[in-house]
């Protein structure tokens, strides 16, 4: 059980001590000198035996010389010891300072800490127009309108220009009438209207009313219908087109992770979640009426991303299904390069589902639409996709499971060479080639174990990632214990304001108190697995920092989702979209090449909802150093020890709910 650590500094001081033998040597020297002087004097006073006196004199001088040499040697030794001691003290001090400076450098708070704690100022609140601030995409809504962006796909691309905390050091406030989101599963169907940005013009246009009902204070998705017959009938139709009885059989067919491009407001993913499928919504940044913002507010996975000029930050062969329902992407453009990106993301045997009004027989009577369809059909055939079925607006393809298909096809799209076939590209330019064919993870979805057995990877599967089974099992057991400790620690903090009778214990936090969780340094996804094992009703965005070992393919192979990310850049999401943010060991690997730790914590504050939780586990000196940043962020914080781990500390923080803007 964790116990609190009181603030303060402890340390040990050492004193340099000289040996007692030095003083004794001085005494002996003086004794020798006195003795020789006494003997020498006696010889001089003796009037007899001149030769004997000379011998005695010589012997005395010799003894005196030896004593002098010893005396000088001891003096030199004493001086040398003192010099070495002083030098060692200086070296140790300089070494300690270098270590301390390196520690501060690794924390990336050199500038802040050098000013001293007393000089650190609390950060101010941002202006109201920052309520939906997404740094790497903010310029889109400010400088452009949707009409101007038509045909300019590169305008939707992220553009991260680093701004230091001093240049952009403010805390993003929630909207005036913001309310804490409803708990899952109620929050899946109802959200507070003022928690997201939707303008009156959008509501009156009818573009959103087809997919949600607007009430006095809430937006309702309970009767959400992206398709005419509803999302349930739509997913049932897809299952039948694949050859399944219904959508409940997706898991048996090897489908677990789904990438939903232009997801509307996440209703397709919400329905599939009940069937044990995990759907990642991805859509362009939108200044208002954002698909990503509303999907996350409903407690469903989503992230800002674009099919434009860069690859998405996911590994090769990650998703079992890619879905596009009226997503607005022109798949025939740029010689089919967007279809090649879908192919890279799909596992062998995976499905691509495309629903569009241009796919109907009536639309295909148009020559232009017919030309586009012919290009798409021929291109998908060339990259070894089988067209399984076409019904009304919906078409389903299946990616090949056999590599030899590529050698027997027409050579329109080449196989990527190893220099371009990066297993986890981080916003690299799109490649006009077929990726993933050289990967050891080329395993058809039909041959993979269904969910949830795939969470615990076999020895053979772990070997593909260079992970030893013992290391993997130990990691899983440690995380199960950590989650138990986290929940025990949160209990008294959550219920501290509730009156209790003497002897009453704090009740456990409800299983659904959290929904959207982000792990900033996910490693094997052990935190995600432990939360699900403990029965918590959450989903986790597993983030693998670009500065650490890339374990994202392993995370996807466990049936989880995640992204690579550079924490010196803004995370591609809207403010207030996560209930908990967790980081173990992130400070230890953080480098200050481009940003300070305050920049990172400002980003945490931006994407964390009011009254959300931050749990950070790291080395004790790093946690102590980072405590100087917490008052600037106005977080409530507590540092605790960790049972069985004397080297690390646990920092638990809660973001306050500031309802009024401070002018």
């Amino acid at each position: 059980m964790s116990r609190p650590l009181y603030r303060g500094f402890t340390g040990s001081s050492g004193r340099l001590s000289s040996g007692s033998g030095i003083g004794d040597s001085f005494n002996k020297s003086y004794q020798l000198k006195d003795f020789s002087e006494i003997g020498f004097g006696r010889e001089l006073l003796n009037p007899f035996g001149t030769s004997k006196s000379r011998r005695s004199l010589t012997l005395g001088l010799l003894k005196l010389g030896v004593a002098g040499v010893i005396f000088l040697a001891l003096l030199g030794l004493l001086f040398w010891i003192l010099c070495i001691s002083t030098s060692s003290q200086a070296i140790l001090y300089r070494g300690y300072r270098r270590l301390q400076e390196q520690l501060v450098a690794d924390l990336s708070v050199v500038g802040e800490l050098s000013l001293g704690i007393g000089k650190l100022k609390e950060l101010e609140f941002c202006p109201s127009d920052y309520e939906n601030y997404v740094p790497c995409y903010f310029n889109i809504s400010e400088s452009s309108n949707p009409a101007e962006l038509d045909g300019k796909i590169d305008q939707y691309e992220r553009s991260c220009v680093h701004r230091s905390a001093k240049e952009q050091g403010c805390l993003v406030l929630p909207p005036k009438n913001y309310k804490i989101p409803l708990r899952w599963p109620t929050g899946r169907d109802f959200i507070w209207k003022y928690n997201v940005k939707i303008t009156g013009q959008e509501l009156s246009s009818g573009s959103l009313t087809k997919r949600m009902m607007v009430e006095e204070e809430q937006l309702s998705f309970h009767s959400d219908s992206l398709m005419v017959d509803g999302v349930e009938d739509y997913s049932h139709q897809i299952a039948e087109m694949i050859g399944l009885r219904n959508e409940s059989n997706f898991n048996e067919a090897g489908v677990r992770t789904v990438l939903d491009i232009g997801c509307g407001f996440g209703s397709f993913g919400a329905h599939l979640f009940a069937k044990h499928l995990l759907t990642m919504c991805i859509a362009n940044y939108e200044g208002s009426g954002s698909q990503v913002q509303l999907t996350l507010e409903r407690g469903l996975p989503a992230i800002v991303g674009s099919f434009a000029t860069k690859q998405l930050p996911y590994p090769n062969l990650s998703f079992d299904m890619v879905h596009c329902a009226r997503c607005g992407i022109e798949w025939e453009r740029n010689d089919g390069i967007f279809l090649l990106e879908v192919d890279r993301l799909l596992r062998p045997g995976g499905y691509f589902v495309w629903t569009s009004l241009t796919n109907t027989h009536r639309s295909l009577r148009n020559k232009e639409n017919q030309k586009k369809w012919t290009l798409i059909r021929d291109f998908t055939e060339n990259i070894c996709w089988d067209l399984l079925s076409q019904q009304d607006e919906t078409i389903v393809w299946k990616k090949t499971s056999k590599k030899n298909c590529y050698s027997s096809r027409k050579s329109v799209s080449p196989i990527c060479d190893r220099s371009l076939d990066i297993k986890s590209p981080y916003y690299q330019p799109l490649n006009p080639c077929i990726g993933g064919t050289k990967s050891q993870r080329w395993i058809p979805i039909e041959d993979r174990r269904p969910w949830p057995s795939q969470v615990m990877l076999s020895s053979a599967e772990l070997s593909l990632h260079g992970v030893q089974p013992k290391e993997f099992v130990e990691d899983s057991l440690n995380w199960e214990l950590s989650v138990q400790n986290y929940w025990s620690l949160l209990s008294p903090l959550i219920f501290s304001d509730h009156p209790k009778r003497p002897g009453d214990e704090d009740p456990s936090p409800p299983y659904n108190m959290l929904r959207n969780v982000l792990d900033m340094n996910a490693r094997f996804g052990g935190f995600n697995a432990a939360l699900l094992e403990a029965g918590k009703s959450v989903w986790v965005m597993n983030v693998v920092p670009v500065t650490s070992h890339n374990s994202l393919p392993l995370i996807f192979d466990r049936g989880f989702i995640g992204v690579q990310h550079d924490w010196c850049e803004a995370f591609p999401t809207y403010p207030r979209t996560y209930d908990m943010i967790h980081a173990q060991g992130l400070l230890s690997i953080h480098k200050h090449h481009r940003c300070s730790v305050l920049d990172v914590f400002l980003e945490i504050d931006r994407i964390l909802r009011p009254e959300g939780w931050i749990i950070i586990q790291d080395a004790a000196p790093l946690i102590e150093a980072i405590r100087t940043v917490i008052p600037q962020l106005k977080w409530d914080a507590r540092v605790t020890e960790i049972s069985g781990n004397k080297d690390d500390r646990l920092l638990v923080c809660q973001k306050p709910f500031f309802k009024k803007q401070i002018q």
Side-chain angles (χ1 to χ4, degrees):
M1 180 67 184
S2 303
R3 64 180 187 276
L5 258 184
Y6 296 99
R7 183 173 180 175
F9 296 92
T10 59
S12 59
S13 61
R15 292 181 297 178
L16 292 174
S17 60
S18 59
S20 60
I22 295 177
D24 295 337
S25 299
F26 273 100
N27 294 333
K28 290 179 182 178
S29 299
Y30 288 124
Q31 290 172 4
L32 286 172
K33 185 176 180 181
D34 293 343
F35 176 78
S36 58
E37 288 178 350
I38 294 172
F40 179 66
R42 285 178 180 176
E43 291 296 331
L44 289 175
L45 294 173
N46 188 1
F48 306 100
T50 305
S51 60
K52 183 177 180 180
S53 298
R54 289 177 179 175
R55 286 195 301 269
S56 299
L57 178 61
T58 302
L59 182 60
L61 290 174
L62 181 61
K63 290 180 179 180
L64 182 61
V66 171
V69 171
I70 294 175
F71 175 74
L72 293 175
L74 290 174
L75 281 177
L77 178 62
L78 177 61
F79 179 79
W80 181 78
I81 290 174
L82 291 174
C83 290
I84 291 297
S85 298
T86 305
S87 176
S88 298
Q89 185 180 14
I91 292 172
L92 288 173
Y93 178 76
R94 287 197 299 270
Y96 171 76
R97 289 296 302 168
R98 282 197 299 268
L99 181 61
Q100 187 182 51
E101 289 169 0
Q102 182 62 42
L103 173 65
V104 174
D106 289 342
L107 280 171
S108 305
V109 288
V110 178
E112 292 84 0
L113 294 182
S114 64
L115 296 175
I117 298 176
K119 295 184 180 180
L120 292 177
K121 298 180 180 179
E122 281 195 359
L123 296 167
E124 298 179 355
F125 292 111
C126 301
S128 58
D129 55 355
Y130 277 68
E131 289 175 358
N132 299 285
Y133 177 53
V134 183
C136 294
Y137 299 88
F138 195 57
N139 60 319
I140 295 175
S141 63
E142 291 298 297
S143 61
S144 305
N145 61 60
E148 293 174 345
L149 293 175
D150 288 343
K152 299 179 181 180
I153 58 174
D154 59 320
Q155 296 295 321
Y156 288 105
E157 207 63 87
R158 66 196 293 271
S159 177
C160 293
V161 179
H162 173 65
R163 299 179 181 179
S164 70
K166 294 180 180 179
E167 295 173 328
Q168 191 56 60
C170 61
L171 304 175
V172 178
L173 279 167
K176 181 179 179 180
N177 296 315
Y178 179 87
K179 295 183 179 180
I180 301 301
L182 300 169
R183 287 182 182 172
W184 181 269
T186 305
R188 174 190 59 198
D189 301 325
F190 300 94
I191 67 173
W192 300 112
K193 182 170 65 175
Y194 297 108
N195 284 14
V196 295
K197 185 177 181 180
I198 297 179
T199 64
Q201 180 181 357
E202 291 164 337
L203 293 175
S204 61
S205 67
S207 60
L208 299 180
T209 53
K210 294 179 181 178
R211 291 169 280 181
M212 66 182 177
M213 297 175 61
V214 182
E215 301 177 4
E216 184 176 352
E217 291 189 341
Q218 292 181 337
L219 303 177
S220 171
F221 302 88
H222 192 65
S223 301
D224 177 75
S225 56
L226 175 61
M227 300 299 124
V228 176
D229 296 328
V231 67
E232 185 173 353
D233 291 339
Y234 173 64
S235 58
H236 185 85
Q237 175 191 0
I238 294 174
E240 289 183 335
M241 293 174 72
I242 289 175
L244 306 175
R245 184 175 180 180
N246 54 51
E247 64 269 30
S248 298
N249 301 113
F250 276 134
N251 194 19
E252 298 175 11
V255 179
R256 161 64 181 170
T257 53
V258 180
L259 180 65
D260 193 3
I261 306 168
C263 59
F265 298 126
S267 292
F268 183 61
H271 179 71
L272 293 182
F273 187 84
K275 311 300 178 183
H276 306 291
L277 273 65
L278 191 57
T279 303
M280 170 81 85
C281 163
I282 185 169
N284 292 331
Y285 171 85
E286 297 163 293
S288 61
S290 167
Q291 302 171 73
V292 171
Q293 187 181 38
L294 270 80
T295 299
L296 284 163
E297 191 69 20
R298 297 180 65 185
L300 300 165
I303 197 169
V304 179
S306 306
F307 271 78
T309 62
K310 303 290 181 63
Q311 292 176 306
L312 298 175
Y314 308 115
N316 297 342
L317 318 177
S318 294
F319 293 96
D320 307 311
M321 178 185 289
V322 175
H323 174 256
C324 161
R326 304 176 188 172
C327 62
I329 296 177
E330 298 179 0
W331 296 106
E332 78 284 353
R333 290 187 60 177
N334 300 328
D335 299 323
I337 199 167
F338 298 145
L339 290 171
L340 286 173
E341 176 67 358
V342 171
D343 183 84
R344 181 186 72 82
L345 297 172
L346 275 176
R347 295 184 188 274
Y351 302 97
F352 176 54
V353 181
W354 179 35
T355 298
S356 173
L357 291 173
T358 61
N359 294 340
T360 62
H361 293 293
R362 175 176 294 183
S363 296
L364 291 178
R365 294 174 186 172
N366 179 282
K367 291 185 178 180
E368 187 65 27
N369 290 340
Q370 180 64 43
K371 180 180 178 181
K372 292 179 180 180
W373 163 242
T374 301
L375 289 172
I376 293 172
R377 182 194 59 197
D378 293 346
F379 190 84
T380 54
E381 182 179 349
N382 176 260
I383 59 176
C384 295
W385 288 7
D386 294 329
L387 199 161
L388 294 184
S389 180
Q390 180 174 3
Q391 293 183 15
D392 300 325
E393 301 176 12
T394 304
I395 304 174
V396 178
W397 284 274
K398 182 179 177 66
K399 178 179 176 177
T400 186
S401 300
K402 301 177 181 179
K403 292 183 180 180
N404 58 10
C405 172
Y406 298 111
S407 59
S408 60
R409 65 192 172 84
K410 298 178 182 178
S411 57
V412 176
S413 299
I415 303 295
C416 294
D417 58 35
R418 295 192 180 277
S419 63
L420 295 176
D421 199 6
I422 304 172
K423 66 177 182 179
S424 292
Y426 184 67
Y427 297 109
Q428 296 295 315
L430 289 170
N431 284 332
C433 55
I434 299 174
T437 59
K438 299 179 177 65
S439 173
Q440 293 181 315
R441 297 172 55 243
W442 183 280
I443 302 173
I445 62 173
E446 299 89 350
D447 297 341
R448 293 174 52 81
R449 289 179 295 165
W451 176 267
S453 3
Q454 62 187 238
V455 173
M456 294 304 294
L457 299 179
S458 66
S459 300
E461 291 169 324
L462 289 173
S463 65
L464 299 178
H465 303 279
V467 178
Q468 296 297 322
K470 182 180 179 181
E471 180 185 9
F472 184 76
V473 171
E474 288 179 353
D475 182 78
S476 300
L477 294 175
N478 289 337
W479 275 118
E480 289 178 8
L481 180 60
S482 294
V483 167
Q484 293 177 9
N485 289 337
Y486 290 170
W487 234 246
S488 299
L489 180 63
L490 289 177
S491 297
L493 299 178
I494 293 171
F495 299 103
S496 59
D497 296 332
H498 292 209
K500 296 184 297 181
R501 297 178 180 177
D504 286 354
E505 294 184 358
D506 293 308
S508 297
Y511 74 97
N512 62 347
M513 67 167 284
L514 305 172
R515 177 59 185 169
N516 301 354
V517 178
L518 186 143
D519 192 356
M520 299 179 70
N521 186 25
R523 200 171 179 238
F524 299 154
F527 181 54
N528 191 159
L531 286 171
L532 297 181
E533 180 67 22
K536 311 306 177 188
S537 184
V538 303
W539 67 271
V540 179
M541 180 68 77
N542 296 283
V543 181
V544 176
V546 294
T547 54
S548 67
H549 172 71
N550 181 17
S551 56
L552 195 56
L554 184 150
I555 289 172
F556 271 92
D557 286 354
R558 299 187 72 177
F560 303 144
I561 57 175
V563 292
Q564 272 194 300
H565 185 64
D566 182 351
W567 283 114
C568 282
E569 299 175 352
F571 195 74
T573 192
Y574 289 79
R576 307 173 300 279
T577 48
Y578 286 93
D579 305 313
M580 174 183 281
I581 296 179
H582 173 267
Q584 184 191 54
L586 181 70
L587 300 177
S588 298
I589 65 171
H590 180 69
K591 303 300 180 185
H592 77 295
H593 295 162
R594 298 186 298 116
C595 69
S596 73
V597 74
L598 180 57
D599 291 324
V600 177
F601 275 62
L602 274 169
E603 180 63 7
I604 293 174
D605 185 86
R606 184 184 71 86
I607 66 179
L608 185 69
R609 69 163 172 83
E611 297 186 5
W613 297 90
I614 308 104
I615 299 180
I616 299 177
Q617 180 179 339
D618 223 304
L622 300 179
I623 293 296
E624 285 299 323
I626 206 63
R627 288 177 63 177
T628 61
V629 177
I630 302 305
Q632 294 183 273
L633 300 164
K634 311 180 195 299
W635 294 349
D636 300 322
R638 179 182 183 183
V639 176
T640 68
E641 291 182 345
I642 302 173
S643 299
N645 187 341
K646 297 181 180 179
D647 299 327
D648 287 0
R649 293 291 184 271
L650 201 64
L651 175 64
V652 181
C653 305
Q654 187 176 30
K655 177 181 175 179
F657 189 173
F658 296 103
K659 294 185 178 181
K660 295 182 179 180
Q661 296 188 19
I662 299 177
Q663 300 297 333

Short mmCIF file of all heavy atoms in Angstrom, two decimals, residues 16 75-91 94:
data_model
loop_
_atom_site.label_atom_id
_atom_site.label_comp_id
_atom_site.label_asym_id
_atom_site.label_seq_id
_atom_site.Cartn_x
_atom_site.Cartn_y
_atom_site.Cartn_z
N LEU A 16 35.41 15.22 5.92
CA LEU A 16 36.74 14.67 5.66
C LEU A 16 37.48 14.53 6.98
O LEU A 16 37.52 15.45 7.79
CB LEU A 16 37.52 15.60 4.72
CG LEU A 16 36.98 15.68 3.29
CD1 LEU A 16 37.77 16.74 2.54
CD2 LEU A 16 37.07 14.34 2.60
N LEU A 75 55.53 15.24 6.65
CA LEU A 75 54.93 16.52 6.31
C LEU A 75 54.38 16.52 4.87
O LEU A 75 53.29 17.00 4.60
CB LEU A 75 55.96 17.64 6.46
CG LEU A 75 56.22 18.15 7.89
CD1 LEU A 75 57.32 19.20 7.87
CD2 LEU A 75 54.96 18.73 8.50
N GLY A 76 55.20 15.93 3.95
CA GLY A 76 54.75 15.83 2.56
C GLY A 76 53.51 14.97 2.42
O GLY A 76 52.59 15.27 1.65
N LEU A 77 53.52 13.86 3.21
CA LEU A 77 52.37 12.97 3.16
C LEU A 77 51.11 13.68 3.66
O LEU A 77 50.04 13.57 3.06
CB LEU A 77 52.63 11.72 4.02
CG LEU A 77 51.48 10.71 4.11
CD1 LEU A 77 51.17 10.15 2.71
CD2 LEU A 77 51.84 9.58 5.06
N LEU A 78 51.28 14.44 4.76
CA LEU A 78 50.14 15.18 5.30
C LEU A 78 49.64 16.21 4.29
O LEU A 78 48.43 16.35 4.07
CB LEU A 78 50.56 15.88 6.60
CG LEU A 78 49.47 16.77 7.26
CD1 LEU A 78 48.26 15.94 7.63
CD2 LEU A 78 50.05 17.47 8.49
N PHE A 79 50.58 16.92 3.66
CA PHE A 79 50.20 17.91 2.66
C PHE A 79 49.50 17.26 1.47
O PHE A 79 48.50 17.77 0.95
CB PHE A 79 51.46 18.66 2.19
CG PHE A 79 51.18 19.70 1.14
CD1 PHE A 79 50.65 20.93 1.49
CD2 PHE A 79 51.44 19.44 -0.21
CE1 PHE A 79 50.38 21.88 0.53
CE2 PHE A 79 51.19 20.40 -1.17
CZ PHE A 79 50.66 21.62 -0.81
N TRP A 80 50.04 16.10 1.05
CA TRP A 80 49.45 15.37 -0.09
C TRP A 80 48.03 14.90 0.24
O TRP A 80 47.11 15.01 -0.57
CB TRP A 80 50.35 14.19 -0.43
CG TRP A 80 49.85 13.38 -1.61
CD1 TRP A 80 49.96 13.69 -2.92
CD2 TRP A 80 49.17 12.12 -1.54
NE1 TRP A 80 49.40 12.72 -3.70
CE2 TRP A 80 48.90 11.73 -2.87
CE3 TRP A 80 48.79 11.28 -0.49
CZ2 TRP A 80 48.24 10.54 -3.17
CZ3 TRP A 80 48.12 10.11 -0.79
CH2 TRP A 80 47.86 9.74 -2.12
N ILE A 81 47.84 14.40 1.46
CA ILE A 81 46.51 13.93 1.88
C ILE A 81 45.51 15.07 1.88
O ILE A 81 44.38 14.95 1.41
CB ILE A 81 46.58 13.25 3.27
CG1 ILE A 81 47.34 11.92 3.16
CG2 ILE A 81 45.19 13.03 3.84
CD1 ILE A 81 47.58 11.24 4.50
N LEU A 82 45.99 16.21 2.44
CA LEU A 82 45.10 17.36 2.48
C LEU A 82 44.74 17.84 1.09
O LEU A 82 43.59 18.20 0.81
CB LEU A 82 45.76 18.49 3.28
CG LEU A 82 45.91 18.25 4.79
CD1 LEU A 82 46.71 19.38 5.43
CD2 LEU A 82 44.54 18.11 5.45
N CYS A 83 45.75 17.84 0.19
CA CYS A 83 45.48 18.27 -1.19
C CYS A 83 44.51 17.33 -1.88
O CYS A 83 43.57 17.75 -2.56
CB CYS A 83 46.79 18.35 -1.99
SG CYS A 83 47.85 19.72 -1.45
N ILE A 84 44.77 16.03 -1.72
CA ILE A 84 43.91 15.04 -2.37
C ILE A 84 42.50 15.12 -1.83
O ILE A 84 41.51 15.04 -2.55
CB ILE A 84 44.48 13.62 -2.20
CG1 ILE A 84 45.78 13.48 -3.02
CG2 ILE A 84 43.47 12.57 -2.64
CD1 ILE A 84 45.56 13.63 -4.51
N SER A 85 42.39 15.28 -0.51
CA SER A 85 41.07 15.35 0.11
C SER A 85 40.31 16.55 -0.43
O SER A 85 39.13 16.47 -0.77
CB SER A 85 41.20 15.44 1.63
OG SER A 85 41.84 14.28 2.14
N THR A 86 41.01 17.70 -0.48
CA THR A 86 40.37 18.91 -0.99
C THR A 86 40.00 18.75 -2.45
O THR A 86 38.90 19.11 -2.89
CB THR A 86 41.30 20.11 -0.82
OG1 THR A 86 41.68 20.21 0.55
CG2 THR A 86 40.60 21.40 -1.26
N SER A 87 40.94 18.18 -3.21
CA SER A 87 40.69 17.96 -4.64
C SER A 87 39.54 16.99 -4.85
O SER A 87 38.68 17.19 -5.70
CB SER A 87 41.97 17.44 -5.31
OG SER A 87 41.71 17.14 -6.67
N SER A 88 39.54 15.89 -4.03
CA SER A 88 38.47 14.90 -4.16
C SER A 88 37.13 15.53 -3.85
O SER A 88 36.13 15.26 -4.51
CB SER A 88 38.73 13.71 -3.23
OG SER A 88 39.93 13.07 -3.57
N GLN A 89 37.15 16.37 -2.80
CA GLN A 89 35.90 17.03 -2.44
C GLN A 89 35.41 17.90 -3.59
O GLN A 89 34.23 17.90 -3.93
CB GLN A 89 36.10 17.88 -1.20
CG GLN A 89 34.81 18.53 -0.68
CD GLN A 89 35.06 19.35 0.55
OE1 GLN A 89 36.21 19.65 0.87
NE2 GLN A 89 34.00 19.70 1.25
N ALA A 90 36.35 18.61 -4.22
CA ALA A 90 35.97 19.47 -5.35
C ALA A 90 35.50 18.63 -6.53
O ALA A 90 34.52 18.97 -7.19
CB ALA A 90 37.16 20.34 -5.76
N ILE A 91 36.21 17.50 -6.78
CA ILE A 91 35.82 16.63 -7.89
C ILE A 91 34.44 16.03 -7.65
O ILE A 91 33.58 15.98 -8.53
CB ILE A 91 36.87 15.52 -8.10
CG1 ILE A 91 38.18 16.14 -8.62
CG2 ILE A 91 36.36 14.47 -9.07
CD1 ILE A 91 39.33 15.16 -8.67
N ARG A 94 31.96 18.74 -8.11
CA ARG A 94 31.74 19.02 -9.53
C ARG A 94 31.00 17.88 -10.20
O ARG A 94 30.15 18.10 -11.05
CB ARG A 94 33.09 19.28 -10.22
CG ARG A 94 33.71 20.63 -9.86
CD ARG A 94 34.80 20.99 -10.86
NE ARG A 94 35.87 20.01 -10.87
CZ ARG A 94 36.96 20.07 -10.11
NH1 ARG A 94 37.10 21.08 -9.25
NH2 ARG A 94 37.90 19.15 -10.18
#
